[in-house]
Amino acid sequence: MQASLFENTQSPQQCQKHQLGESTITEYPFAFTEQLAKSYLELLISNIDWQQDRLRIAGKEIPVPRLQCWMGDKASDYSYSGLRLKPQPWQPPVLDIRSKVEEIVGLTFNSALLNFYRNGQDSVAWHADDEIELGCSPIIVSVSIGAERIFELKPKQSLKRQKYQILLKSGSILIMGNTLQNNYLHQLPKVKGLNEPRVNLTFRNIV
Ligand SMILES: O=C(O)CCC(=O)C(=O)O
Ligand SMILES: [Mn+2]
């Protein structure tokens, strides 16, 4: 499956819907200008207190293949894959980005998970953002800044398990609609030979 092509106009309001069964992803490929995205990338890489978290899998400690930062309102602790994350206070560039996201989406968000993919060897494995703290049908908004990467989705339950791919452009926003996390898994695979960094911010609500 492939997303169709965009028209050649680059307005921040321009959007494309991706229909995956009953779940919808809405993509705003030009939400932030290239120049603004570039300046956010530099600010985020140098100003965020990036953590190298470790997962315990089958009795072994394994470093998460990316750096992370959990940010949010005071009472928004978050757990996933055995990690318990305490929120760091909101930082100015993240608050700016959140304002734009809230304006486009028309919803408010009390937390964000930031991922720093240093190069193509950093990745995130198949998962769904379906932790109990996020409520039963969360809307999650993903902002991509820096290197273009492929985002893959596949149904949690299907015989064919055909993958759907979206090329995440720098400055784009993806709204993952309210049944997506229940029905689909997503991942950001490694890319051989890629040396460009990327930062991703997913805005969420701890309920
Ligand atoms: O980097 C991305 O585009 C996805 C990140 C993600 O899925 C997550 O942080 O839960
Ligand atoms: Mn995710």
Side-chain angles (χ1 to χ4, degrees), residues 140-183:
I140 293 178
V141 182
S142 166
V143 178
S144 293
I145 290 175
E148 282 188 8
R149 297 281 295 255
I150 303 253
F151 186 66
E152 296 188 330
L153 299 115
K154 66 178 180 185
K156 283 186 182 173
Q157 276 157 17
S158 156
L159 290 177
K160 283 199 248 146
R161 311 264 281 173
Q162 193 179 13
K163 280 192 263 176
Y164 189 88
Q165 296 187 325
I166 301 175
L167 181 65
L168 297 176
K169 297 168 71 67
S170 184
S172 69
I173 288 181
L174 218 58
I175 306 174
M176 297 191 259
N178 65 356
T179 55
L180 190 81
Q181 307 301 329
N182 306 345
N183 299 332

mmCIF file of all heavy atoms in Angstrom, residues 140-183:
data_model
loop_
_atom_site.group_PDB
_atom_site.id
_atom_site.type_symbol
_atom_site.label_atom_id
_atom_site.label_comp_id
_atom_site.label_asym_id
_atom_site.label_seq_id
_atom_site.Cartn_x
_atom_site.Cartn_y
_atom_site.Cartn_z
ATOM 1 N N ILE A 140 -3.101 10.536 19.334
ATOM 2 C CA ILE A 140 -1.684 10.860 19.537
ATOM 3 C C ILE A 140 -1.198 11.630 18.316
ATOM 4 O O ILE A 140 -1.487 11.236 17.177
ATOM 5 C CB ILE A 140 -0.885 9.559 19.755
ATOM 6 C CG1 ILE A 140 -1.341 8.975 21.100
ATOM 7 C CG2 ILE A 140 0.620 9.819 19.747
ATOM 8 C CD1 ILE A 140 -0.722 7.685 21.481
ATOM 9 N N VAL A 141 -0.502 12.719 18.568
ATOM 10 C CA VAL A 141 -0.047 13.555 17.453
ATOM 11 C C VAL A 141 1.472 13.534 17.391
ATOM 12 O O VAL A 141 2.157 13.850 18.362
ATOM 13 C CB VAL A 141 -0.560 15.006 17.613
ATOM 14 C CG1 VAL A 141 -0.114 15.840 16.419
ATOM 15 C CG2 VAL A 141 -2.068 15.011 17.707
ATOM 16 N N SER A 142 1.972 13.145 16.226
ATOM 17 C CA SER A 142 3.407 12.942 16.040
ATOM 18 C C SER A 142 3.984 14.046 15.155
ATOM 19 O O SER A 142 3.471 14.297 14.062
ATOM 20 C CB SER A 142 3.570 11.565 15.375
ATOM 21 O OG SER A 142 4.856 11.397 14.878
ATOM 22 N N VAL A 143 5.042 14.687 15.644
ATOM 23 C CA VAL A 143 5.707 15.756 14.881
ATOM 24 C C VAL A 143 7.095 15.260 14.493
ATOM 25 O O VAL A 143 7.843 14.765 15.341
ATOM 26 C CB VAL A 143 5.829 17.038 15.738
ATOM 27 C CG1 VAL A 143 6.559 18.134 14.971
ATOM 28 C CG2 VAL A 143 4.455 17.520 16.184
ATOM 29 N N SER A 144 7.436 15.385 13.217
ATOM 30 C CA SER A 144 8.733 14.916 12.716
ATOM 31 C C SER A 144 9.610 16.101 12.341
ATOM 32 O O SER A 144 9.159 16.999 11.621
ATOM 33 C CB SER A 144 8.535 14.044 11.478
ATOM 34 O OG SER A 144 7.884 12.868 11.837
ATOM 35 N N ILE A 145 10.857 16.052 12.798
ATOM 36 C CA ILE A 145 11.799 17.142 12.542
ATOM 37 C C ILE A 145 13.151 16.533 12.193
ATOM 38 O O ILE A 145 13.657 15.692 12.938
ATOM 39 C CB ILE A 145 11.889 18.046 13.796
ATOM 40 C CG1 ILE A 145 10.565 18.808 13.935
ATOM 41 C CG2 ILE A 145 13.055 19.003 13.726
ATOM 42 C CD1 ILE A 145 10.442 19.642 15.161
ATOM 43 N N GLY A 146 13.696 16.925 11.041
ATOM 44 C CA GLY A 146 15.015 16.410 10.647
ATOM 45 C C GLY A 146 14.892 15.370 9.543
ATOM 46 O O GLY A 146 14.016 15.476 8.676
ATOM 47 N N ALA A 147 15.776 14.367 9.598
ATOM 48 C CA ALA A 147 15.865 13.390 8.495
ATOM 49 C C ALA A 147 14.511 12.760 8.181
ATOM 50 O O ALA A 147 13.753 12.430 9.093
ATOM 51 C CB ALA A 147 16.838 12.286 8.888
ATOM 52 N N GLU A 148 14.211 12.609 6.896
ATOM 53 C CA GLU A 148 12.990 11.901 6.495
ATOM 54 C C GLU A 148 13.145 10.427 6.805
ATOM 55 O O GLU A 148 14.185 9.834 6.484
ATOM 56 C CB GLU A 148 12.755 12.066 4.988
ATOM 57 C CG GLU A 148 12.186 13.397 4.641
ATOM 58 C CD GLU A 148 11.763 13.513 3.178
ATOM 59 O OE1 GLU A 148 11.769 12.493 2.446
ATOM 60 O OE2 GLU A 148 11.454 14.629 2.775
ATOM 61 N N ARG A 149 12.143 9.847 7.433
ATOM 62 C CA ARG A 149 12.193 8.421 7.754
ATOM 63 C C ARG A 149 10.855 7.784 7.369
ATOM 64 O O ARG A 149 9.835 8.449 7.329
ATOM 65 C CB ARG A 149 12.438 8.203 9.264
ATOM 66 C CG ARG A 149 13.757 8.740 9.780
ATOM 67 C CD ARG A 149 14.936 7.847 9.480
ATOM 68 N NE ARG A 149 14.893 6.573 10.145
ATOM 69 C CZ ARG A 149 15.632 6.226 11.203
ATOM 70 N NH1 ARG A 149 16.473 7.090 11.732
ATOM 71 N NH2 ARG A 149 15.565 5.002 11.721
ATOM 72 N N ILE A 150 10.897 6.474 7.139
ATOM 73 C CA ILE A 150 9.670 5.735 6.811
ATOM 74 C C ILE A 150 9.013 5.272 8.102
ATOM 75 O O ILE A 150 9.683 4.704 8.972
ATOM 76 C CB ILE A 150 9.997 4.499 5.946
ATOM 77 C CG1 ILE A 150 10.731 4.915 4.692
ATOM 78 C CG2 ILE A 150 8.734 3.687 5.669
ATOM 79 C CD1 ILE A 150 9.976 4.860 3.426
ATOM 80 N N PHE A 151 7.717 5.509 8.185
ATOM 81 C CA PHE A 151 6.900 5.068 9.318
ATOM 82 C C PHE A 151 6.043 3.923 8.794
ATOM 83 O O PHE A 151 5.387 4.055 7.766
ATOM 84 C CB PHE A 151 6.045 6.258 9.749
ATOM 85 C CG PHE A 151 5.216 6.074 10.983
ATOM 86 C CD1 PHE A 151 5.813 5.913 12.227
ATOM 87 C CD2 PHE A 151 3.827 6.126 10.922
ATOM 88 C CE1 PHE A 151 5.042 5.790 13.377
ATOM 89 C CE2 PHE A 151 3.056 6.007 12.064
ATOM 90 C CZ PHE A 151 3.661 5.833 13.290
ATOM 91 N N GLU A 152 6.088 2.794 9.485
ATOM 92 C CA GLU A 152 5.342 1.625 8.997
ATOM 93 C C GLU A 152 4.249 1.240 9.980
ATOM 94 O O GLU A 152 4.441 1.324 11.196
ATOM 95 C CB GLU A 152 6.287 0.439 8.818
ATOM 96 C CG GLU A 152 7.323 0.706 7.744
ATOM 97 C CD GLU A 152 8.156 -0.522 7.400
ATOM 98 O OE1 GLU A 152 8.369 -1.385 8.284
ATOM 99 O OE2 GLU A 152 8.606 -0.596 6.248
ATOM 100 N N LEU A 153 3.138 0.781 9.440
ATOM 101 C CA LEU A 153 2.020 0.311 10.270
ATOM 102 C C LEU A 153 1.564 -1.041 9.760
ATOM 103 O O LEU A 153 1.658 -1.322 8.561
ATOM 104 C CB LEU A 153 0.841 1.286 10.167
ATOM 105 C CG LEU A 153 1.149 2.711 10.647
ATOM 106 C CD1 LEU A 153 1.051 3.676 9.489
ATOM 107 C CD2 LEU A 153 0.212 3.123 11.763
ATOM 108 N N LYS A 154 1.076 -1.865 10.669
ATOM 109 C CA LYS A 154 0.455 -3.123 10.262
ATOM 110 C C LYS A 154 -0.636 -3.483 11.262
ATOM 111 O O LYS A 154 -0.534 -3.129 12.452
ATOM 112 C CB LYS A 154 1.490 -4.250 10.151
ATOM 113 C CG LYS A 154 2.119 -4.652 11.460
ATOM 114 C CD LYS A 154 3.100 -5.820 11.273
ATOM 115 C CE LYS A 154 3.730 -6.203 12.601
ATOM 116 N NZ LYS A 154 4.766 -7.224 12.489
ATOM 117 N N PRO A 155 -1.687 -4.158 10.789
ATOM 118 C CA PRO A 155 -2.781 -4.503 11.711
ATOM 119 C C PRO A 155 -2.291 -5.429 12.809
ATOM 120 O O PRO A 155 -1.419 -6.268 12.576
ATOM 121 C CB PRO A 155 -3.799 -5.230 10.828
ATOM 122 C CG PRO A 155 -3.323 -5.116 9.434
ATOM 123 C CD PRO A 155 -1.904 -4.661 9.434
ATOM 124 N N LYS A 156 -2.869 -5.276 14.024
ATOM 125 C CA LYS A 156 -2.502 -6.183 15.109
ATOM 126 C C LYS A 156 -2.988 -7.589 14.791
ATOM 127 O O LYS A 156 -2.334 -8.565 15.103
ATOM 128 C CB LYS A 156 -3.163 -5.721 16.421
ATOM 129 C CG LYS A 156 -2.494 -4.534 17.067
ATOM 130 C CD LYS A 156 -3.134 -4.245 18.421
ATOM 131 C CE LYS A 156 -2.510 -3.030 19.070
ATOM 132 N NZ LYS A 156 -3.197 -2.622 20.299
ATOM 133 N N GLN A 157 -4.167 -7.653 14.179
ATOM 134 C CA GLN A 157 -4.737 -8.969 13.887
ATOM 135 C C GLN A 157 -5.201 -9.026 12.454
ATOM 136 O O GLN A 157 -6.186 -8.416 12.091
ATOM 137 C CB GLN A 157 -5.924 -9.233 14.809
ATOM 138 C CG GLN A 157 -5.467 -9.780 16.125
ATOM 139 C CD GLN A 157 -6.456 -9.544 17.222
ATOM 140 O OE1 GLN A 157 -7.614 -9.245 16.989
ATOM 141 N NE2 GLN A 157 -5.987 -9.670 18.445
ATOM 142 N N SER A 158 -4.436 -9.738 11.643
ATOM 143 C CA SER A 158 -4.877 -9.936 10.270
ATOM 144 C C SER A 158 -4.006 -11.037 9.712
ATOM 145 O O SER A 158 -2.830 -11.144 10.045
ATOM 146 C CB SER A 158 -4.693 -8.650 9.470
ATOM 147 O OG SER A 158 -4.574 -8.948 8.108
ATOM 148 N N LEU A 159 -4.587 -11.854 8.845
ATOM 149 C CA LEU A 159 -3.788 -12.949 8.297
ATOM 150 C C LEU A 159 -2.699 -12.408 7.398
ATOM 151 O O LEU A 159 -1.562 -12.860 7.422
ATOM 152 C CB LEU A 159 -4.690 -13.920 7.525
ATOM 153 C CG LEU A 159 -5.635 -14.744 8.409
ATOM 154 C CD1 LEU A 159 -6.539 -15.605 7.565
ATOM 155 C CD2 LEU A 159 -4.821 -15.612 9.382
ATOM 156 N N LYS A 160 -3.046 -11.368 6.608
ATOM 157 C CA LYS A 160 -2.074 -10.869 5.621
ATOM 158 C C LYS A 160 -1.014 -9.987 6.273
ATOM 159 O O LYS A 160 0.122 -9.983 5.856
ATOM 160 C CB LYS A 160 -2.808 -10.087 4.531
ATOM 161 C CG LYS A 160 -3.500 -11.010 3.536
ATOM 162 C CD LYS A 160 -3.806 -10.278 2.259
ATOM 163 C CE LYS A 160 -5.304 -10.127 2.112
ATOM 164 N NZ LYS A 160 -5.771 -8.955 1.484
ATOM 165 N N ARG A 161 -1.374 -9.216 7.287
ATOM 166 C CA ARG A 161 -0.443 -8.306 7.966
ATOM 167 C C ARG A 161 0.325 -7.442 6.956
ATOM 168 O O ARG A 161 1.526 -7.257 7.057
ATOM 169 C CB ARG A 161 0.546 -9.084 8.852
ATOM 170 C CG ARG A 161 -0.091 -10.098 9.772
ATOM 171 C CD ARG A 161 -0.335 -9.590 11.157
ATOM 172 N NE ARG A 161 0.853 -9.591 11.979
ATOM 173 C CZ ARG A 161 0.874 -9.052 13.204
ATOM 174 N NH1 ARG A 161 -0.192 -8.510 13.700
ATOM 175 N NH2 ARG A 161 1.981 -9.081 13.900
ATOM 176 N N GLN A 162 -0.418 -6.923 5.933
ATOM 177 C CA GLN A 162 0.230 -6.073 4.935
ATOM 178 C C GLN A 162 0.647 -4.743 5.563
ATOM 179 O O GLN A 162 -0.121 -4.151 6.319
ATOM 180 C CB GLN A 162 -0.747 -5.815 3.792
ATOM 181 C CG GLN A 162 -0.070 -5.223 2.581
ATOM 182 C CD GLN A 162 -1.064 -4.993 1.457
ATOM 183 O OE1 GLN A 162 -2.266 -5.040 1.644
ATOM 184 N NE2 GLN A 162 -0.543 -4.744 0.275
ATOM 185 N N LYS A 163 1.880 -4.280 5.248
ATOM 186 C CA LYS A 163 2.379 -3.048 5.860
ATOM 187 C C LYS A 163 1.888 -1.820 5.095
ATOM 188 O O LYS A 163 1.760 -1.855 3.877
ATOM 189 C CB LYS A 163 3.904 -3.043 5.862
ATOM 190 C CG LYS A 163 4.478 -3.861 6.986
ATOM 191 C CD LYS A 163 5.953 -3.595 7.146
ATOM 192 C CE LYS A 163 6.778 -4.624 6.448
ATOM 193 N NZ LYS A 163 8.204 -4.392 6.464
ATOM 194 N N TYR A 164 1.663 -0.724 5.810
ATOM 195 C CA TYR A 164 1.329 0.566 5.216
ATOM 196 C C TYR A 164 2.481 1.498 5.561
ATOM 197 O O TYR A 164 2.939 1.511 6.708
ATOM 198 C CB TYR A 164 0.017 1.081 5.823
ATOM 199 C CG TYR A 164 -0.532 2.300 5.121
ATOM 200 C CD1 TYR A 164 -1.382 2.167 4.023
ATOM 201 C CD2 TYR A 164 -0.206 3.587 5.549
ATOM 202 C CE1 TYR A 164 -1.891 3.281 3.372
ATOM 203 C CE2 TYR A 164 -0.711 4.711 4.903
ATOM 204 C CZ TYR A 164 -1.555 4.554 3.820
ATOM 205 O OH TYR A 164 -2.052 5.670 3.177
ATOM 206 N N GLN A 165 2.969 2.249 4.565
ATOM 207 C CA GLN A 165 4.141 3.106 4.816
ATOM 208 C C GLN A 165 3.816 4.574 4.583
ATOM 209 O O GLN A 165 3.128 4.907 3.614
ATOM 210 C CB GLN A 165 5.285 2.720 3.878
ATOM 211 C CG GLN A 165 5.799 1.310 4.112
ATOM 212 C CD GLN A 165 7.035 1.012 3.281
ATOM 213 O OE1 GLN A 165 7.150 1.493 2.149
ATOM 214 N NE2 GLN A 165 7.946 0.241 3.831
ATOM 215 N N ILE A 166 4.334 5.418 5.460
ATOM 216 C CA ILE A 166 4.208 6.875 5.278
ATOM 217 C C ILE A 166 5.611 7.465 5.414
ATOM 218 O O ILE A 166 6.320 7.164 6.379
ATOM 219 C CB ILE A 166 3.272 7.499 6.349
ATOM 220 C CG1 ILE A 166 1.874 6.873 6.273
ATOM 221 C CG2 ILE A 166 3.191 9.013 6.174
ATOM 222 C CD1 ILE A 166 0.910 7.350 7.372
ATOM 223 N N LEU A 167 5.998 8.297 4.434
ATOM 224 C CA LEU A 167 7.312 8.959 4.513
ATOM 225 C C LEU A 167 7.139 10.210 5.375
ATOM 226 O O LEU A 167 6.380 11.109 5.010
ATOM 227 C CB LEU A 167 7.789 9.322 3.111
ATOM 228 C CG LEU A 167 9.150 9.998 3.041
ATOM 229 C CD1 LEU A 167 10.260 9.061 3.511
ATOM 230 C CD2 LEU A 167 9.436 10.474 1.623
ATOM 231 N N LEU A 168 7.791 10.223 6.532
ATOM 232 C CA LEU A 168 7.613 11.351 7.455
ATOM 233 C C LEU A 168 8.589 12.468 7.104
ATOM 234 O O LEU A 168 9.800 12.339 7.286
ATOM 235 C CB LEU A 168 7.823 10.890 8.902
ATOM 236 C CG LEU A 168 6.818 9.847 9.405
ATOM 237 C CD1 LEU A 168 7.170 9.402 10.814
ATOM 238 C CD2 LEU A 168 5.396 10.385 9.360
ATOM 239 N N LYS A 169 8.023 13.578 6.593
ATOM 240 C CA LYS A 169 8.851 14.710 6.178
ATOM 241 C C LYS A 169 9.186 15.586 7.378
ATOM 242 O O LYS A 169 8.415 15.661 8.327
ATOM 243 C CB LYS A 169 8.070 15.570 5.178
ATOM 244 C CG LYS A 169 7.707 14.849 3.894
ATOM 245 C CD LYS A 169 6.697 15.653 3.100
ATOM 246 C CE LYS A 169 7.319 16.906 2.492
ATOM 247 N NZ LYS A 169 8.321 16.590 1.448
ATOM 248 N N SER A 170 10.301 16.308 7.262
ATOM 249 C CA SER A 170 10.655 17.257 8.320
ATOM 250 C C SER A 170 9.604 18.366 8.357
ATOM 251 O O SER A 170 9.250 18.930 7.317
ATOM 252 C CB SER A 170 12.030 17.853 8.030
ATOM 253 O OG SER A 170 12.409 18.688 9.085
ATOM 254 N N GLY A 171 9.084 18.661 9.544
ATOM 255 C CA GLY A 171 8.073 19.713 9.678
ATOM 256 C C GLY A 171 6.647 19.191 9.548
ATOM 257 O O GLY A 171 5.704 19.972 9.560
ATOM 258 N N SER A 172 6.504 17.869 9.455
ATOM 259 C CA SER A 172 5.152 17.322 9.278
ATOM 260 C C SER A 172 4.517 16.938 10.612
ATOM 261 O O SER A 172 5.208 16.712 11.608
ATOM 262 C CB SER A 172 5.192 16.097 8.362
ATOM 263 O OG SER A 172 5.843 15.019 9.014
ATOM 264 N N ILE A 173 3.183 16.868 10.572
ATOM 265 C CA ILE A 173 2.398 16.419 11.736
ATOM 266 C C ILE A 173 1.526 15.256 11.278
ATOM 267 O O ILE A 173 0.957 15.295 10.183
ATOM 268 C CB ILE A 173 1.492 17.564 12.250
ATOM 269 C CG1 ILE A 173 2.309 18.648 12.939
ATOM 270 C CG2 ILE A 173 0.429 17.034 13.194
ATOM 271 C CD1 ILE A 173 1.458 19.790 13.497
ATOM 272 N N LEU A 174 1.435 14.260 12.125
ATOM 273 C CA LEU A 174 0.580 13.101 11.854
ATOM 274 C C LEU A 174 -0.391 12.969 13.020
ATOM 275 O O LEU A 174 0.044 12.858 14.168
ATOM 276 C CB LEU A 174 1.483 11.867 11.840
ATOM 277 C CG LEU A 174 1.252 10.749 10.855
ATOM 278 C CD1 LEU A 174 1.311 11.248 9.435
ATOM 279 C CD2 LEU A 174 2.307 9.669 11.064
ATOM 280 N N ILE A 175 -1.680 12.992 12.727
ATOM 281 C CA ILE A 175 -2.659 12.765 13.803
ATOM 282 C C ILE A 175 -3.075 11.312 13.719
ATOM 283 O O ILE A 175 -3.646 10.868 12.715
ATOM 284 C CB ILE A 175 -3.911 13.650 13.649
ATOM 285 C CG1 ILE A 175 -3.525 15.122 13.521
ATOM 286 C CG2 ILE A 175 -4.864 13.440 14.832
ATOM 287 C CD1 ILE A 175 -4.708 16.032 13.226
ATOM 288 N N MET A 176 -2.730 10.558 14.764
ATOM 289 C CA MET A 176 -3.123 9.148 14.799
ATOM 290 C C MET A 176 -4.463 9.077 15.495
ATOM 291 O O MET A 176 -4.572 9.358 16.686
ATOM 292 C CB MET A 176 -2.050 8.322 15.497
ATOM 293 C CG MET A 176 -0.731 8.367 14.732
ATOM 294 S SD MET A 176 0.442 7.164 15.332
ATOM 295 C CE MET A 176 1.495 8.191 16.320
ATOM 296 N N GLY A 177 -5.503 8.773 14.719
ATOM 297 C CA GLY A 177 -6.893 8.854 15.177
ATOM 298 C C GLY A 177 -7.248 7.816 16.217
ATOM 299 O O GLY A 177 -6.456 6.925 16.544
ATOM 300 N N ASN A 178 -8.483 7.932 16.712
ATOM 301 C CA ASN A 178 -8.780 7.307 18.005
ATOM 302 C C ASN A 178 -8.922 5.793 18.053
ATOM 303 O O ASN A 178 -9.013 5.246 19.133
ATOM 304 C CB ASN A 178 -9.975 7.988 18.658
ATOM 305 C CG ASN A 178 -11.226 7.784 17.852
ATOM 306 O OD1 ASN A 178 -11.174 7.190 16.781
ATOM 307 N ND2 ASN A 178 -12.332 8.270 18.351
ATOM 308 N N THR A 179 -8.927 5.087 16.920
ATOM 309 C CA THR A 179 -8.927 3.621 17.065
ATOM 310 C C THR A 179 -7.613 3.010 16.573
ATOM 311 O O THR A 179 -7.430 1.801 16.630
ATOM 312 C CB THR A 179 -10.089 2.956 16.288
ATOM 313 O OG1 THR A 179 -9.993 3.379 14.926
ATOM 314 C CG2 THR A 179 -11.436 3.333 16.850
ATOM 315 N N LEU A 180 -6.704 3.873 16.105
ATOM 316 C CA LEU A 180 -5.466 3.348 15.497
ATOM 317 C C LEU A 180 -4.642 2.501 16.460
ATOM 318 O O LEU A 180 -4.165 1.426 16.114
ATOM 319 C CB LEU A 180 -4.619 4.503 14.955
ATOM 320 C CG LEU A 180 -3.454 4.010 14.105
ATOM 321 C CD1 LEU A 180 -3.911 3.679 12.698
ATOM 322 C CD2 LEU A 180 -2.327 5.005 14.069
ATOM 323 N N GLN A 181 -4.484 3.003 17.695
ATOM 324 C CA GLN A 181 -3.627 2.280 18.652
ATOM 325 C C GLN A 181 -4.261 0.952 19.078
ATOM 326 O O GLN A 181 -3.554 0.038 19.496
ATOM 327 C CB GLN A 181 -3.326 3.151 19.888
ATOM 328 C CG GLN A 181 -2.753 4.525 19.569
ATOM 329 C CD GLN A 181 -1.455 4.479 18.791
ATOM 330 O OE1 GLN A 181 -0.655 3.539 18.928
ATOM 331 N NE2 GLN A 181 -1.219 5.473 17.951
ATOM 332 N N ASN A 182 -5.594 0.869 18.963
ATOM 333 C CA ASN A 182 -6.271 -0.385 19.327
ATOM 334 C C ASN A 182 -6.068 -1.444 18.243
ATOM 335 O O ASN A 182 -5.998 -2.635 18.541
ATOM 336 C CB ASN A 182 -7.778 -0.174 19.509
ATOM 337 C CG ASN A 182 -8.093 0.939 20.488
ATOM 338 O OD1 ASN A 182 -7.214 1.360 21.235
ATOM 339 N ND2 ASN A 182 -9.306 1.435 20.491
ATOM 340 N N ASN A 183 -5.980 -0.988 16.991
ATOM 341 C CA ASN A 183 -6.023 -1.944 15.876
ATOM 342 C C ASN A 183 -4.694 -2.142 15.140
ATOM 343 O O ASN A 183 -4.547 -3.114 14.409
ATOM 344 C CB ASN A 183 -7.063 -1.474 14.842
ATOM 345 C CG ASN A 183 -8.459 -1.401 15.443
ATOM 346 O OD1 ASN A 183 -8.762 -2.135 16.380
ATOM 347 N ND2 ASN A 183 -9.301 -0.517 14.931
#
